[in-house]
Amino acid sequence: MTKEPKLPPEEDLAEELRKDLEDLVEGELAVEDLTANKVAFLRAWLKDDLHRAADYLRGLGGEVQTLEERTGDWLLDAADPTETAWPNLMRCIKTGQPWALAGEKVKAGEELQCLGCGYRALPPADTQITPCHRCGYGCFRQIEGGLED
């Protein structure tokens, strides 16, 4: 024989059910507030992290560019200046641009640009052209009018 469970009176049951429901609603609202706070915190953290990453990448890009330039300079320094300057000399000859060799005399107001490394100099008038002070190559493009170009 089974006994019927003893239940509290209906008024107490309704009150208990209402109280449990209010507790559930309060708990749900607390979870929503907590979740909203966590989402706001996470959003702020990600925004800050994104700004830091962008700054880092900008700096890294500058460093990579500097390393590229240095590598290019090292390769050109290691190269034989006659090999790197030969195409520049041929271009001067083909286009009819004036050029000069080490040992020739400089005219007044004449600027020289090394065909090996691009170094520009304005030597005193009527002096003998010396090899480039930067790379040692002795072939130059003559630039009329000096530093104004």
Side-chain angles (χ1 to χ4, degrees), residues 19-132:
K19 189 175 178 188
D20 287 343
L21 190 57
E22 284 177 359
D23 289 344
L24 282 173
V25 169
E26 282 180 28
E28 182 66 29
L29 290 175
V31 167
E32 282 183 29
D33 287 342
L34 182 64
T35 304
N37 288 341
K38 284 186 177 182
V39 166
F41 175 74
L42 183 60
R43 185 176 288 128
W45 182 76
L46 288 173
K47 189 175 183 181
D48 181 59
D49 201 34
L50 182 63
H51 285 292
R52 288 179 189 219
D55 291 342
Y56 174 77
L57 289 175
R58 253 186 252 105
L60 186 63
E63 289 179 26
V64 168
Q65 185 175 3
T66 301
L67 289 174
E68 278 181 13
E69 291 169 0
R70 283 185 182 172
T71 302
D73 288 344
W74 289 334
L75 290 172
L76 287 175
D77 287 346
D80 180 7
T82 56
E83 293 293 324
T84 59
W86 185 253
N88 292 330
L89 176 60
M90 294 310 297
R91 193 176 311 114
C92 283
I93 292 170
K94 287 179 182 177
T95 60
Q97 293 177 344
W99 54 280
L101 296 173
E104 296 180 8
K105 296 266 183 183
V106 180
K107 294 185 275 180
E110 183 176 61
E111 182 182 6
L112 300 175
Q113 182 177 21
C114 176
L115 292 176
C117 66
Y119 177 76
R120 293 175 89 159
L122 186 61
D126 294 326
T127 59
Q128 190 176 24
I129 300 171
T130 59
C132 178

